[in-house]
Amino acid sequence: MKRLGLGGLFFVWLYGVPFLLLVGLIRRTSTPYAPTHEAAQAFGATTDGVLIAGLLLNALPLLGLFFAGLAGDEGWQRHFRWAIGAMVLLYLLVVLVSRMATGALIGHTPADDEPAPAITQCIPRSGGRGCPGG
């Protein structure tokens, strides 16, 4: 049972974390159809959640190394030691991508497609002149 648990933890990290980070980065660089500002905020919040989950789950090799040490399984300890090196590389890769980005990776709200409000009234300018355009 311990091998199944350690293997599950390892493969969740190995496949799940890159998937979440890749999906988050693709969502961050895409231009979604967001007809309202609320939809754009919801898209940005979901993207933030995916990226934050990927970054937090990237620390799973530390937890795996701890549990492999408690179980006394040298094979899984070796796997998780290598995974810690890959974990650091993933963090550095995300930092590199965030440095290359023009905006923040987390906390960004995409532009919405809501049309500009129509001007329905005119307030005369000071000096007694009328409204622009007539």
Side-chain angles (χ1 to χ4, degrees):
M1 190 62 161
K2 69 180 177 181
R3 300 198 102 203
L4 183 63
L6 291 172
L9 187 66
F10 181 77
F11 286 108
V12 163
W13 170 79
L14 183 65
Y15 294 111
V17 169
F19 175 76
L20 287 173
L21 291 175
L22 191 62
V23 167
L25 292 174
I26 288 171
R27 283 179 62 98
R28 180 59 67 216
T29 58
S30 67
T31 53
Y33 172 70
T36 62
H37 185 66
E38 291 80 21
Q41 283 181 327
F43 184 87
T46 303
T47 304
D48 289 346
V50 169
L51 283 171
I52 290 171
L55 290 172
L56 290 177
L57 288 176
N58 195 26
L60 282 178
L62 297 173
L63 190 65
L65 184 62
F66 174 74
F67 284 131
L70 286 179
D73 193 336
E74 184 59 38
W76 281 112
Q77 284 180 346
R78 188 172 46 255
H79 278 79
F80 283 114
R81 278 191 218 108
W82 281 102
I84 288 174
M87 175 188 81
V88 171
L89 287 176
L90 273 173
Y91 278 129
L92 291 175
L93 182 66
V94 170
V95 168
L96 177 70
V97 168
S98 70
R99 294 286 183 178
M100 292 171 36
T102 56
L105 286 184
I106 296 177
H108 171 74
T109 301
D112 56 48
D113 295 331
E114 202 166 24
I119 299 174
T120 58
Q121 66 181 16
C122 178
I123 301 172
R125 296 181 186 163
S126 62
R129 293 187 288 175
C131 295

